[in-house]
Amino acid sequence: MSSLFIISAPSGAGKTSLIKALLKTRMGLSLSISHTTRQPRPNEINGQDYFFIDRDIFNQMLERGEFLESAEVYGNLYGTSYPWVKDTMASGQDVLMEIDCQGAQQVRQIFPEAVSIFILPPSLESLKARLQQRGQDDPGTIARRLKAVREEVSQVNKFDYAVINNELDEALKDICCIIRAERLRMMHQLVKQHVLLAQFA
Amino acid sequence: MSSLFIISAPSGAGKTSLIKALLKTRMGLSLSISHTTRQPRPNEINGQDYFFIDRDIFNQMLERGEFLESAEVYGNLYGTSYPWVKDTMASGQDVLMEIDCQGAQQVRQIFPEAVSIFILPPSLESLKARLQQRGQDDPGTIARRLKAVREEVSQVNKFDYAVINNELDEALKDICCIIRAERLRMMHQLVKQHVLLAQFA
């Protein structure tokens, strides 16, 4: 029985670096790659960071029910392939999904047993600094992002876990422990350990 | 908001060594020490391994409602002090309770948010070997313990987590991850991180 892990974070919480570090560990997670209609940023690779598609194709996929979740963020469409997630989990692999708060709630409705983690910055100031240092957005965009951040953080209580990204190594350990612990939950162990348990029946 | 961790295991699963190792880590747990009417084993210290008391005193405490849980196992009475657990948790410390399956269920009725971990041996054979190697029990006692082991393992599904004690170090890591992950659960984080969260309100 595979698990589905959802990681959400407001912009500037350092989620991207954390996910990169997490995928380098041996936690055995398959990262779900989202489809999006937004333009690639410098260094973003199609099929690795996102599947970059146009609105027409996105809408066709949406109509065919191929998105587990989809959302419009800052005027761009994002969606997660439902067939890919189903197939990957059916093959016994745990899936990691990096999505926004809206998407997380949609996924939870379909997979109520999904494990959701919200990443928080250590302070509002550090988040503001990160947004400004990124240097890719103008002040208006930053102000709009900050408003969105407040809205996202107001949804934190809908998640199962909160991890503070103060030091990347500690936040990474937190996430790895959550994943390891979730795999030890009884509903998983009753399946994984059935041969052992049968010895005591 | 403090947590209560319950660890249960059938005899011969290696629980005692695991708990000792766990208490040497810096997980910051306060071990609850049970009261019992059984005779101390060689090397057991009063007030450290158990509070060794006689039946009259045990029954007086029971009548005064001073036990969070109590049970008769192999003809001996065991109980956990309710006031001690309440006071320790009220002081902000997480409590670790090493009790049997019957006791675990009693505690869960009073503290439904308690986190319960069941330790399993890697095989029935390894458990039998451990019981025999211990050399403190006669064959009749061992047979009686094995029957009790089967009964206890049949209750495994009532616990939150199952940890297989194949290698002590790995089982210890499992338990430490469970504790670390539980402390990151939203209900705890909303309290611990309220100053941070208020910055985004």
Side-chain angles (χ1 to χ4, degrees):
Chain A
M1 195 171 61
S2 303
S3 297
L4 175 56
F5 295 99
I6 299 170
I7 297 190
S8 294
S11 316
K15 182 181 60 170
T16 309
S17 314
L18 255 177
I19 300 265
K20 260 190 200 157
L22 178 59
L23 292 172
K24 281 187 191 155
T25 65
R26 296 188 183 178
M27 296 303 292
L29 297 166
S30 294
L31 180 68
S32 156
I33 295 164
S34 298
H35 289 68
T36 183
T37 62
R38 87 151 158 76
Q39 290 302 306
R41 290 182 192 152
N43 303 321
E44 278 185 338
I45 296 165
N46 186 39
Q48 186 173 311
D49 297 293
Y50 286 96
F51 292 107
F52 295 99
I53 55 175
D54 65 28
R55 277 200 167 241
D56 281 353
I57 292 178
F58 196 101
N59 285 327
Q60 284 167 27
M61 290 177 72
L62 197 61
E63 273 167 32
R64 290 197 299 263
E66 289 181 15
F67 288 126
L68 177 56
E69 56 85 32
S70 64
E72 186 150 358
V73 185
Y74 309 130
N76 298 307
L77 294 165
Y78 294 81
T80 301
S81 163
Y82 197 175
W84 184 88
V85 171
K86 266 198 300 195
D87 292 351
T88 306
M89 290 180 73
S91 78
Q93 284 186 282
D94 286 351
V95 167
L96 177 64
M97 218 177 265
E98 181 193 351
I99 48 178
D100 74 323
C101 291
Q102 294 175 49
Q105 275 174 254
Q106 291 176 52
V107 174
R108 262 193 303 263
Q109 277 166 11
I110 297 170
F111 290 102
E113 70 284 10
V115 177
S116 54
I117 305 170
F118 196 89
I119 312 294
L120 282 163
S123 69
L124 178 60
E125 282 312 307
S126 70
L127 179 135
K128 281 182 183 170
R130 261 188 210 156
L131 286 184
Q132 281 155 1
Q133 275 161 22
R134 220 153 61 170
Q136 70 200 10
D137 301 313
D138 56 78
T141 305
I142 290 179
R144 205 169 44 148
R145 284 196 193 278
L146 271 176
K147 187 166 170 276
V149 164
R150 288 181 198 275
E151 273 164 31
E152 281 187 75
V153 175
S154 74
Q155 305 291 309
V156 67
N157 60 324
K158 291 178 182 156
F159 285 73
D160 299 315
Y161 296 94
V163 167
I164 316 299
N165 189 14
N166 192 10
E167 289 179 46
L168 187 130
D169 282 355
E170 287 303 307
L172 181 62
K173 274 189 207 162
D174 282 346
I175 294 173
C176 288
C177 268
I178 290 168
I179 294 168
R180 184 167 178 157
E182 284 291 336
R183 289 171 173 169
L184 297 167
R185 286 204 160 267
M186 196 53 69
M187 60 172 183
H188 294 291
Q189 290 288 59
L190 290 177
V191 178
K192 274 189 270 185
Q193 308 298 340
H194 71 278
V195 173
L196 171 61
L197 292 169
Q199 295 177 13
F200 295 89
Chain B
M1 194 171 62
S2 302
S3 297
L4 175 56
F5 295 98
I6 299 171
I7 296 189
S8 293
S11 315
K15 181 181 60 171
T16 308
S17 313
L18 255 179
I19 300 265
K20 259 189 199 156
L22 178 59
L23 292 172
K24 281 186 190 157
T25 65
R26 295 187 183 178
M27 296 302 292
L29 297 166
S30 293
L31 179 70
S32 155
I33 295 163
S34 298
H35 289 69
T36 184
T37 63
R38 86 153 158 73
Q39 290 302 305
R41 290 181 191 153
N43 304 323
E44 279 185 337
I45 296 166
N46 187 40
Q48 186 174 311
D49 297 292
Y50 286 95
F51 292 107
F52 296 99
I53 56 174
D54 65 28
R55 277 201 168 243
D56 282 352
I57 292 178
F58 195 101
N59 286 326
Q60 284 166 28
M61 289 176 73
L62 197 60
E63 275 167 29
R64 290 197 299 264
E66 290 182 14
F67 287 126
L68 176 56
E69 56 85 34
S70 64
E72 186 149 359
V73 185
Y74 310 130
N76 298 307
L77 294 164
Y78 294 81
T80 301
S81 164
Y82 196 174
W84 184 88
V85 171
K86 265 197 299 193
D87 293 349
T88 306
M89 289 179 74
S91 78
Q93 283 186 280
D94 286 350
V95 168
L96 176 66
M97 219 177 264
E98 180 194 351
I99 50 177
D100 74 324
C101 290
Q102 293 175 49
Q105 277 174 253
Q106 290 177 54
V107 174
R108 263 192 303 263
Q109 278 166 10
I110 298 169
F111 290 102
E113 70 284 10
V115 177
S116 55
I117 304 169
F118 196 89
I119 312 293
L120 283 162
S123 68
L124 179 59
E125 281 313 307
S126 70
L127 179 134
K128 281 182 182 169
R130 260 188 209 156
L131 286 183
Q132 280 154 4
Q133 276 161 20
R134 217 151 66 170
Q136 70 199 9
D137 301 313
D138 57 77
T141 304
I142 290 179
R144 207 169 41 147
R145 284 195 193 276
L146 271 176
K147 187 166 170 277
V149 164
R150 288 181 198 276
E151 274 163 30
E152 281 188 76
V153 175
S154 74
Q155 305 292 308
V156 68
N157 60 324
K158 291 178 182 155
F159 286 73
D160 298 314
Y161 296 94
V163 167
I164 316 299
N165 188 15
N166 191 9
E167 288 179 48
L168 187 129
D169 281 355
E170 287 302 307
L172 181 62
K173 274 189 207 163
D174 282 345
I175 295 173
C176 289
C177 267
I178 291 168
I179 293 167
R180 184 167 178 157
E182 284 292 336
R183 288 170 173 169
L184 296 167
R185 284 202 162 268
M186 196 53 67
M187 61 172 182
H188 294 291
Q189 291 287 59
L190 290 177
V191 179
K192 273 189 272 185
Q193 307 298 340
H194 71 278
V195 173
L196 171 61
L197 291 169
Q199 295 178 13
F200 295 89

